[in-house]
Amino acid sequence: MSQKEFKATAQDYLQKAGNVSKEYLNLFKSKLATTVVDTVYMAEGITKNVIPGNPVTRDYEVTKHIGSAGPGLLWKLYAGFKKSTKQEATVFVLHKKSLEIFSKKDRDLIVEVFKKGATQLARIKHPRILSLQHQLEESKDSLAFATEPCFSSLANALGNHENMPSPLPDDFKDFKLLEVEIKYGLLQLAEALSFLHKDAKILHRNICPESIVINSNGAWKLAGFEFFVTNNNDPNDALKFPFKEWDGSLAPVLNPVLEYLAPEYGLSSKCDCSSDMFSFGMLFYSVYNNGKTLYSCSNNYSAFVKNVEELKSITNSQMSSIPSDIREYLKMLMHLNSELRPDAGQVTKIPFFDDVAVKTLEYLDSSFQVDNLQKSMFFKSLPQIIDKLPQRVCLQRIIPCLEQEFINPDMIPFILPSMFLIAEQSSNEEYVKYILPRLKIIFKLQKPIQILLIVLKNMSLILSKTPPTDIKEHILPLVCRSLETDTVEIQELCLGTLPSFAHLLDTSSIKHQIIPRIRKLCLESSTLSVRVNSLICIGKILEHLEKWVVLDDILPILEKINIRDSAVLMAMLGIYKIVLSHPKLGITKDLLATRVLPYLIPICIDNNLNMKQFNAYMSLVKEMLSQVESEQKKKLEQIEALEREKSIIPYSIAGNSSSKPKEVIKTPDTMMDQLMAGYGVATAQNTVPPPSFSTQSLNTSNSGLMPKKELTLNEKQELAAKLERNEPKISSSMSLNNLKPANKMSESLMDKNLKDLSLSSNQKASQINSNLDLLTQSMSGTNLMNNNPLRQFNSNSSFTTSQVLPNIQSNQNLGFFGNLALPAPNYNVSQINSSMNNGFNTHSISTSMKNSMNNIPLIPGPPRFASPVISKPNNQTVNNGHKSALDDLADIFG
């Protein structure tokens, strides 16, 4: 579809849009149609002329437009790479559509001239001449060929941006050629002309910035052979080149640039090798003069003739931009007399080019011709020169030359110091672009061993500039290989370097790739320094590890170390201290108590430790013990608090604070018994278990709880019936033993209560209930005398239990039911009253009661009395008391 057809179609489509004002629609149609047509036209041109049409573009992937070169800057330079090998390249493309501004005759001539130049370029092979990767290919729409990677033409670098991409690439913003780049570039051109004139016997005829290409490494390469001529004489005769006049009837791009053309083209109608040297001198001048020539001709041959006549006298003001040490030589190059101009070989020997930086670059370019001994000496001194070179020169000129030596592994140890020095002076972006791709090649090399040494020594620099993804992919394998090597120095360097980039590695990489190799060195290495450095390395990377990794993988390594050198022991101490004190890590109480402390305590008495080291170990052990103590105390306190919260204190009938029977602890007989008793531990020798009903039915647990075996309903009925048949007839003389317990009763109240005691029938029920209280106290395992109010009597009283209770009969071996069958003792009421009237001796009573009560077995059940000594109470009272006792027994036994 042609441009007109497409525009008409777009307008027709836009006219179908409804509800739009006519004026707005017309404006919109016009702008949109123009934009769409231009965009499609541009895309169509790129598609046809750059990518699918030309055979070169089928073999090479074109990425972006980077510059222009050749006559009229008609060659477009595209960055790209070869699809099959991914080799970088620059594709030169001449779009025939761009020649439409010329006449049909000129278009055909331009195509022929450009084809001639590209073809000749393919025939010449020299380091100073642009090299081709793919020969010229022609299609219906374009001419194209591929060359080595290029930056731009010299004309672009000097500020001529014609036929360049828009917007201008960032590389050309504020771009300025450096002094060393200019010097070495001019020297390279002189060497190229020397080759053409002496060896190839070719006259270039168009030495100008458009014919010079700067490659990606910053080297100046000669190109633009569109107007070259060859020697007509025999090889053994003097050179003679045909003369071609400047034809003003043709387009300017079909003639050499007048500003750089030698005077003899307008004065004497002859040319030779000195004509190219004049052009070289004019190029020299324009480079130092920001791209401006000595005069301007504006494609006017008459103006050119007039200007060349003024070359007889070049003023100092015209040479002000030229360095003083080259001005005289430059005047000679631009002299009207061609015989006075120095040839290309003589130009290379001018003292102006005897610069250290220039000579360094020159040597690097020709280093392939030098043996290894001379190379090694040069590379050793190269770091001293690099400090004097601009960074761009180092990146674009030094690094590529050094990379060429990678094919010779023996030279790499001499090259690496210079590379790392340049890397240190580079930004991170420059490092990633120019240096890291070359270092990746070195990271894979294992021999010679000096490569690993140098890389490890500069690892901190590498890590500071290398992206994390590249560290894991390229540097981590290098470190692993270093740990596996047999060279002690490399192992120690690697161990010392590893902590500096451990934070860039993930936990999995450290656990599965780093720690196993360090463990092997730590446990199996025969060199003490390697073992110590392994432990130090572990200590430094602890903060980057997870707690579970440390507990599972690191601490077991320490437990397997059997060497007891002081350096190893102190390194282990440092690891334990870091793990113990670091807030992210820590050692559990159980691990400290069961594994760490049992391992560390024997080390404390090792003879290899001095006083300071011993104190350090003891301090650590005490710190660990303190942690165990504090955590265990806290745990026990929490357990006790939970038990207090969950426990329920039972309320007993007798008013006791606990129904749990107490163990009777005898006085410890031995030191061990005393020690155990002092810590609250009851032994079999000093503990008397509480009595029980029988071993078969009522087994009491060690904790004093009720019997585990419960009585059946039939057994309970039999007990109740037997209790009714053997109803005790309680004597009033037992009233002193049946006083209800009272806690914290004042002495005056007790005296008053004792004096008010009577043997009236109204107290009979209380006496029976008191006996039941005695029963309950015996079952709960409580000392009968603990709550007896008689113990609070005045010690001056003369009342004794022998006077009051003379005939208590008991048999501890008979148990509860046996005591129920015993005959009741006889008591005389008058005896009791007389004794009470004579006054109580509380001390005697207390002592006698205690001795008597100690004879009562600590088992449930009251003593049985033979016969009552008081008048028989009315049946109602006795029956009520009897019923109350049975109810209490039923509650106790379930």
Side-chain angles (χ1 to χ4, degrees):
M1 183 182 293
S2 65
Q3 182 175 356
K4 293 182 180 180
E5 292 175 351
F6 188 89
K7 186 174 183 180
T9 303
Q11 290 178 348
D12 293 338
Y13 178 81
L14 292 173
Q15 287 177 357
K16 296 179 181 180
N19 301 326
V20 181
S21 63
K22 187 176 181 180
E23 295 180 358
Y24 180 79
L25 181 60
N26 292 334
L27 178 62
F28 178 74
K29 287 191 301 181
S30 177
K31 291 186 177 180
L32 181 61
T34 303
T35 303
V36 171
V37 169
D38 292 344
T39 303
V40 173
Y41 177 74
M42 181 182 300
E44 184 181 11
I46 294 175
T47 301
K48 288 184 177 180
N49 299 319
V50 178
I51 299 176
N54 197 286
V56 173
T57 57
R58 287 200 298 263
D59 294 339
Y60 287 82
E61 186 70 28
V62 174
T63 57
K64 62 179 179 178
H65 184 194
I66 59 174
S68 57
L73 296 177
L74 291 177
W75 286 112
K76 283 188 176 181
L77 278 59
Y78 291 91
F81 57 90
K82 194 170 184 178
K83 295 179 181 179
S84 59
T85 62
K86 306 300 180 182
Q87 182 182 6
E88 292 185 357
T90 296
V91 179
F92 283 65
V93 179
L94 173 64
H95 298 292
K96 293 182 179 180
K97 193 172 289 293
S98 64
L99 304 179
E100 292 180 354
I101 59 174
F102 302 102
S103 64
K104 179 65 170 63
K105 177 184 177 181
D106 289 343
R107 287 201 299 268
D108 295 339
L109 290 175
I110 291 173
V111 171
E112 292 300 324
V113 168
F114 276 61
K115 289 170 63 176
K116 174 186 175 182
T119 303
Q120 183 63 27
L121 189 63
R123 295 173 181 171
I124 303 176
K125 303 296 182 182
H126 191 269
R128 306 309 183 201
I129 296 176
L130 186 65
S131 62
L132 265 65
Q133 293 183 3
H134 194 286
Q135 63 182 359
L136 178 69
E137 297 283 358
E138 182 178 7
S139 66
K140 178 181 177 181
D141 299 309
S142 64
L143 298 175
F145 61 92
T147 69
E148 60 183 295
C150 299
F151 170 70
S152 70
S153 65
L154 180 59
N156 296 152
L158 293 175
N160 188 349
H161 299 153
E162 184 179 352
N163 208 18
M164 287 192 65
S166 180
L168 203 65
D170 294 338
D171 294 337
F172 291 94
K173 294 179 180 179
D174 301 327
F175 179 83
K176 186 177 181 180
L177 291 170
L178 302 173
E179 178 70 19
V180 64
E181 291 176 326
I182 294 174
K183 281 187 176 182
Y184 189 55
L186 293 172
L187 180 61
Q188 289 174 311
L189 292 179
E191 293 175 353
L193 289 175
S194 178
F195 168 76
L196 288 179
H197 297 162
K198 293 183 178 181
D199 298 325
K201 303 184 184 318
I202 292 174
L203 189 63
H204 190 278
R205 292 185 68 237
N206 193 32
I207 303 297
C208 63
E210 290 81 356
S211 300
I212 311 301
V213 177
I214 303 175
N215 69 3
S216 58
N217 295 332
W220 291 16
K221 298 297 183 78
L222 184 60
F225 287 89
E226 289 78 9
F227 307 110
F228 81 97
V229 292
T230 59
N231 178 32
N232 289 336
N233 288 347
D234 293 335
N236 297 327
D237 297 336
L239 296 178
K240 182 180 180 181
F241 299 101
F243 177 79
K244 292 185 178 181
E245 295 182 354
W246 195 89
D247 191 351
S249 62
L250 301 177
V253 296
L254 293 173
N255 290 291
V257 181
L258 288 175
E259 284 79 2
Y260 296 89
L261 198 60
E264 47 268 26
Y265 281 91
L267 298 178
S268 59
S269 298
K270 65 177 182 177
C271 61
D272 54 17
C273 294
S274 61
S275 301
D276 279 347
M277 297 312 299
F278 177 91
S279 301
F280 175 78
M282 193 61 71
L283 176 68
F284 201 124
Y285 179 90
S286 66
V287 169
Y288 274 103
N289 200 32
N290 298 322
K292 297 179 181 179
T293 56
L294 191 60
Y295 46 79
S296 177
C297 299
S298 301
N299 293 320
N300 189 329
Y301 187 77
S302 301
F304 164 71
V305 174
K306 181 180 179 180
N307 289 327
V308 296
E309 293 178 352
E310 297 178 358
L311 290 175
K312 296 177 182 180
S313 58
I314 299 177
T315 62
N316 291 333
S317 60
Q318 291 176 309
M319 304 290 289
S320 60
S321 60
I322 308 300
S324 58
D325 53 347
I326 195 63
R327 288 177 184 175
E328 295 301 324
Y329 296 101
L330 187 55
K331 288 181 179 180
M332 294 173 63
L333 286 171
M334 294 188 296
H335 203 281
L336 285 175
N337 189 350
S338 61
E339 296 179 356
L340 298 179
R341 300 171 194 161
D343 59 29
Q346 293 172 339
V347 169
T348 59
K349 299 177 181 179
I350 295 177
F352 175 76
F353 297 109
D354 290 339
D355 184 82
V356 175
V358 173
K359 291 298 182 182
T360 300
L361 297 177
E362 185 178 13
Y363 186 89
L364 288 171
D365 286 338
S366 59
S367 61
F368 63 91
Q369 301 174 353
V370 184
D371 58 21
N372 287 345
L373 180 60
Q374 292 179 340
K375 286 181 182 179
S376 61
M377 296 176 63
F378 170 77
F379 288 135
K380 285 181 179 179
S381 61
L382 184 58
Q384 302 175 1
I385 303 173
I386 288 176
D387 290 333
K388 302 177 182 179
L389 297 177
Q391 183 64 13
R392 190 168 74 196
V393 175
C394 293
L395 294 173
Q396 296 182 356
R397 297 290 299 138
I398 303 294
I399 292 295
C401 294
L402 297 179
E403 183 186 10
Q404 294 177 358
E405 296 295 332
F406 287 177
I407 59 175
N408 186 1
D410 294 334
M411 287 292 104
I412 294 180
F414 300 99
I415 294 171
L416 286 178
S418 299
M419 293 195 68
F420 287 125
L421 178 59
I422 297 173
E424 185 178 359
Q425 299 172 353
S426 305
S427 64
N428 291 346
E429 293 77 12
E430 294 171 340
Y431 170 83
V432 172
K433 181 179 179 181
Y434 294 99
I435 301 176
L436 182 58
R438 277 93 177 183
L439 290 179
K440 290 178 181 179
I441 302 174
I442 296 176
F443 291 158
K444 299 177 182 179
L445 300 178
Q446 299 184 13
K447 293 182 179 180
I449 202 66
Q450 290 83 358
I451 295 177
L452 279 177
L453 287 173
I454 298 174
V455 171
L456 291 174
K457 288 181 179 179
N458 293 273
M459 186 60 73
S460 58
L461 172 64
I462 297 173
L463 296 174
S464 64
K465 296 180 178 292
T466 304
T469 54
D470 291 316
I471 289 178
K472 184 176 180 180
E473 183 177 355
H474 299 285
I475 297 180
L476 182 59
L478 170 69
V479 172
C480 293
R481 290 198 306 270
S482 301
L483 292 174
E484 294 172 350
T485 186
D486 296 332
T487 306
V488 174
E489 187 177 359
I490 292 179
Q491 292 175 348
E492 293 180 349
L493 277 174
C494 185
L495 292 171
T497 303
L498 182 58
S500 61
F501 67 96
H503 64 284
L504 301 175
L505 303 176
D506 57 281
T507 303
S508 177
S509 298
I510 297 178
K511 176 178 174 59
H512 296 102
Q513 298 188 48
I514 300 299
I515 293 180
R517 290 172 170 84
I518 296 180
R519 180 194 298 116
K520 183 177 180 180
L521 291 178
C522 189
L523 299 178
E524 300 179 6
S525 177
S526 59
T527 305
L528 178 62
S529 61
V530 173
R531 290 197 173 195
V532 174
N533 286 321
S534 299
L535 293 172
I536 294 175
C537 179
I538 291 175
K540 290 181 179 180
I541 67 174
L542 284 176
E543 59 180 337
H544 306 301
L545 302 178
E546 297 294 336
K547 181 177 180 180
W548 64 272
V549 176
V550 175
L551 299 181
D552 294 346
D553 296 319
I554 301 300
L555 295 186
I557 296 177
L558 305 182
E559 296 173 0
K560 295 179 181 179
I561 297 177
N562 52 15
I563 190 172
R564 287 297 179 264
D565 186 85
S566 60
V568 174
L569 296 179
M570 296 313 295
M572 293 168 53
L573 174 70
I575 294 176
Y576 278 116
K577 202 167 187 64
I578 293 174
V579 176
L580 186 67
S581 60
H582 197 281
K584 180 182 175 182
L585 304 176
I587 308 178
T588 62
K589 165 180 63 68
D590 297 334
L591 193 60
L592 284 174
T594 59
R595 289 173 56 184
V596 177
L597 284 171
Y599 176 72
L600 288 181
I601 291 176
I603 296 179
C604 295
I605 59 174
D606 194 280
N607 294 330
N608 291 318
L609 297 177
N610 57 28
M611 178 60 70
K612 186 177 181 180
Q613 295 167 348
F614 169 77
N615 291 334
Y617 257 97
M618 290 306 301
S619 175
L620 177 63
V621 171
K622 291 177 181 178
E623 185 179 354
M624 290 180 175
L625 289 172
S626 176
Q627 178 178 331
V628 173
E629 179 184 5
S630 62
E631 291 184 6
Q632 185 66 11
K633 280 184 177 180
K634 185 177 180 180
K635 176 183 176 181
L636 296 176
E637 290 173 356
Q638 292 175 350
I639 292 174
E640 291 180 358
L642 291 174
E643 289 178 352
R644 286 196 299 270
E645 292 177 0
K646 292 181 179 180
S647 63
I648 300 175
I649 302 176
Y651 181 78
S652 65
I653 300 175
N656 292 327
S657 61
S658 175
S659 62
K660 179 180 179 180
K662 297 182 179 179
E663 293 180 343
V664 179
I665 308 298
K666 294 183 179 181
T667 303
D669 297 328
T670 66
M671 181 180 295
M672 191 63 186
D673 291 335
Q674 294 176 3
L675 179 64
M676 300 300 289
Y679 287 107
V681 181
T683 61
Q685 288 77 11
N686 59 16
T687 303
V688 178
S692 61
F693 290 110
S694 66
T695 58
Q696 291 81 7
S697 60
L698 299 175
N699 291 326
T700 306
S701 64
N702 292 336
S703 59
L705 298 177
M706 292 298 295
K708 295 181 180 179
K709 181 177 180 181
E710 296 183 356
L711 297 178
T712 64
L713 181 60
N714 294 333
E715 290 174 343
K716 293 179 182 178
Q717 290 177 348
E718 292 176 1
L719 285 174
K722 190 174 182 179
L723 190 62
E724 290 179 358
R725 290 194 300 270
N726 298 295
E727 173 65 25
K729 298 178 180 180
I730 303 173
S731 173
S732 62
S733 63
M734 291 300 296
S735 60
L736 292 175
N737 292 330
N738 299 322
L739 292 175
K740 294 182 179 180
N743 294 327
K744 300 181 181 180
M745 186 178 294
S746 64
E747 182 179 353
S748 60
L749 181 59
M750 288 298 299
D751 293 340
K752 183 176 181 301
N753 290 337
L754 290 174
K755 290 178 182 180
D756 292 341
L757 292 173
S758 66
L759 301 175
S760 62
S761 59
N762 296 332
Q763 295 176 338
K764 294 176 182 178
S766 299
Q767 293 169 356
I768 296 174
N769 290 335
S770 177
N771 288 329
L772 292 173
D773 291 342
L774 179 60
L775 170 65
T776 305
Q777 291 173 0
S778 299
M779 292 184 64
S780 61
T782 307
N783 194 332
L784 294 175
M785 298 304 295
N786 287 345
N787 296 321
N788 198 325
L790 293 179
R791 297 184 62 173
Q792 300 179 11
F793 288 179
N794 195 315
S795 61
N796 294 327
S797 301
S798 60
F799 182 77
T800 63
T801 57
S802 61
Q803 296 172 334
V804 180
L805 305 171
N807 296 316
I808 295 177
Q809 297 179 9
S810 65
N811 191 341
Q812 297 182 16
N813 297 325
L814 296 179
F816 169 61
F817 295 107
N819 285 328
L820 288 178
L822 289 174
N826 296 325
Y827 294 102
N828 192 337
V829 177
S830 61
Q831 248 183 339
I832 297 174
N833 289 335
S834 64
S835 298
M836 292 177 63
N837 293 333
N838 292 332
F840 290 99
N841 187 342
T842 56
H843 178 69
S844 300
I845 256 185
S846 176
T847 306
S848 300
M849 288 291 290
K850 181 176 181 181
N851 294 332
S852 299
M853 300 306 286
N854 284 337
N855 294 324
I856 299 175
L858 297 179
I859 58 174
R864 189 69 173 165
F865 302 100
S867 61
V869 294
I870 61 174
S871 61
K872 183 178 180 181
N874 57 60
N875 295 332
Q876 182 179 2
T877 305
V878 174
N879 292 335
N880 291 339
H882 183 200
K883 183 178 181 181
S884 176
L886 290 175
D887 292 340
D888 291 338
L889 283 172
D891 291 339
I892 293 171
F893 293 103

